[in-house]
Amino acid sequence: MKKIKFLIKSIFLIGLLYFVSQMITWQDGRLAFRDARLNEITQSLSSQFSPSQDTSARPSAETPAQTYLYNESRQVIEETFGEAINESANRYGLNWTSYHDDFRNFMMVMYDEHDIAQGIYTNQDTILIDDTLGIGSSKASVRNQMGTRQESLQRGSRRYRIDSDADYDLFLQDDQLITFFYDVHAEDTVTAIQIINRSLETRHANDFRQNQAAILSGLRTQLFELTNATRVKFGLSPLGFSEATSETAVKHSQDMAEHRYFDHIGLDGSTPFDRMQEDGISFTAAGENLAFGQASSIYAHQGLMNSEGHRATILNDEYQFLGIGIAIDTSEQPYYTTLYHRGSAS
């Protein structure tokens, strides 16, 4: 079994991978810096993700009837949830297809070549497991009803241990791996659910060596949507995507990946806000989250929301725009920079 050890105090074993994170904020001329537990992911997106996009073809904001969608056809799912919003590549060699109404009733589905659902993810009240378990269920009720939790997960040739005190539980039910993610800030109630065909995990190999560009593009798409779906879930407005701020974030991720360091402060001594100002970005409040080493935007985002500092950045109602940057080093490890700010998008 592959073992993952602590490297420094800001590196933690979280779920299946270790990763590092930091956050830094700027508010009305005041700079605050702190290490934070967990991670963040990202890079540039396109304007198609703007919250103001046309919604005429989408379902209403009413929550669809709760159901169990694994192994359902695309036709049946879209009769309930409407047309797909986005498709983005993932590490399983397939795509996550997202459905939402301005990020309400958010769900991602992974279809096989026959358009049958082999993966489901949602952080909103759209599906039930065994007719009773869903968003808001307690950890105790999940463990009582689902039975023995998995203590490890096979991915390709590697087996990863899952700590008993992790902020999620993994269960095997028939051919399905079902993950319940818990919100540690809400008494360990279920905050998201993922269902994946077991064979997709067991055949999984390296995340980035195969189809790297498409997977990285998928990671940033998924993280952007996850971030906004979470904000809307908590009653906040979705963020607009900033191309200009993303360029700033990309350059910092590339610098960290090339020179193998991990810090808000660049090798030239610049802060995130120095870099934004140098690139001509106008802002009155801003925050940066950094992360390293996480291959799944879902696990990264759920872990991020269980970190007090990162959670506060994601749920800051003053921010208007999000810029995302990601780069990979020669060891196939990702460096993520995410910039939130209030001000101008360009």
Side-chain angles (χ1 to χ4, degrees):
M1 181 180 296
K2 184 176 178 63
K3 294 182 179 179
I4 302 173
K5 298 180 179 179
F6 291 105
L7 301 182
I8 58 175
K9 67 177 181 178
S10 59
I11 296 180
F12 292 82
L13 175 64
I14 304 298
L16 307 176
L17 297 173
Y18 66 83
F19 39 101
V20 187
S21 65
Q22 292 182 338
M23 61 163 285
I24 188 170
T25 60
W26 190 95
Q27 178 74 35
D28 297 329
R30 298 189 302 274
L31 184 66
F33 177 86
R34 59 179 291 185
D35 285 344
R37 176 180 179 266
L38 281 177
N39 51 45
E40 173 70 5
I41 280 193
T42 52
Q43 200 205 39
S44 68
L45 303 168
S46 67
S47 59
Q48 66 178 311
F49 300 117
S50 169
S52 61
Q53 59 186 301
D54 177 43
T55 62
S56 59
R58 301 185 197 174
S60 71
E62 295 180 1
T63 302
Q66 293 174 322
T67 185
Y68 189 64
L69 302 171
Y70 183 81
N71 268 336
E72 286 284 8
S73 69
R74 184 172 188 141
Q75 179 180 349
V76 168
I77 289 173
E78 294 191 350
E79 285 175 355
T80 302
F81 290 89
E83 295 181 2
I85 303 300
N86 279 306
E87 291 197 5
S88 54
N90 60 37
R91 58 187 172 79
Y92 302 102
L94 300 172
N95 293 326
W96 279 117
T97 300
S98 64
Y99 300 88
H100 58 84
D101 176 17
D102 273 343
F103 301 104
R104 291 169 292 188
N105 302 326
F106 179 78
M107 182 177 69
M108 297 195 300
V109 181
M110 181 164 48
Y111 297 106
D112 64 15
E113 63 272 21
H114 305 295
D115 273 347
I116 301 299
Q118 298 298 297
I120 303 285
Y121 169 88
T122 186
N123 65 357
Q124 300 185 27
D125 201 20
T126 56
I127 66 173
L128 287 175
I129 305 297
D130 291 347
D131 297 324
T132 59
L133 298 174
I135 304 302
S137 296
S138 68
K139 179 186 286 189
S141 64
V142 169
R143 291 183 170 182
N144 181 62
Q145 186 163 330
M146 295 297 295
T148 304
R149 57 181 293 276
Q150 298 294 295
E151 297 181 352
S152 64
L153 175 63
Q154 186 77 33
R155 276 187 176 170
S157 61
R158 295 180 177 181
R159 181 175 293 275
Y160 295 89
R161 186 184 65 206
I162 303 173
D163 281 2
S164 60
D165 60 351
D167 53 6
Y168 67 92
D169 280 328
L170 178 67
F171 300 92
L172 177 62
Q173 188 175 83
D174 299 323
D175 66 337
Q176 308 151 43
L177 287 168
I178 303 176
T179 305
F180 291 87
F181 297 94
Y182 304 114
D183 187 342
V184 302
H185 301 285
E187 300 181 340
D188 280 335
T189 52
V190 175
T191 187
I193 299 170
Q194 176 182 269
I195 309 169
I196 298 290
N197 184 299
R198 183 185 185 185
S199 67
L200 293 176
E201 285 286 12
T202 56
R203 77 186 188 198
H204 164 66
N206 188 284
D207 290 337
F208 295 106
R209 290 179 183 173
Q210 302 294 326
N211 204 20
Q212 180 180 117
I215 292 174
L216 294 182
S217 176
L219 285 175
R220 60 185 184 247
T221 298
Q222 293 146 26
L223 184 67
F224 182 81
E225 293 191 308
L226 286 164
T227 299
N228 275 332
T230 297
R231 285 177 61 88
V232 169
K233 179 179 177 179
F234 281 84
L236 303 175
S237 298
L239 299 169
F241 183 74
S242 171
E243 292 283 358
T245 311
S246 293
E247 292 179 9
T248 303
V250 167
K251 288 186 288 187
H252 187 55
S253 287
Q254 290 174 340
D255 190 53
M256 290 190 294
E258 180 180 355
H259 298 287
R260 298 294 188 92
Y261 74 97
F262 183 75
D263 206 321
H264 293 290
I265 308 303
L267 295 181
D268 60 357
S270 63
T271 70
F273 318 113
D274 294 332
R275 295 188 288 270
M276 291 173 69
Q277 291 172 337
E278 183 178 344
D279 289 343
I281 298 168
S282 175
F283 61 93
T284 57
E288 178 183 82
N289 285 339
L290 300 179
F292 163 79
Q294 178 58 280
S296 165
S297 56
I298 290 174
Y299 275 90
H301 179 72
Q302 296 305 148
L304 190 68
M305 283 298 293
N306 279 335
S307 164
E308 185 176 358
H310 293 96
R311 184 186 184 101
T313 301
I314 292 173
L315 300 180
N316 188 325
D317 62 358
E318 293 191 81
Y319 293 148
Q320 298 171 302
F321 301 103
L322 174 60
I324 304 169
I326 186 170
I328 304 298
D329 67 17
T330 56
S331 298
E332 304 288 336
Q333 295 299 318
Y335 290 75
Y336 309 101
T337 302
T338 304
L339 286 169
Y340 297 76
H341 75 284
R342 182 180 73 227
S344 173
S346 59

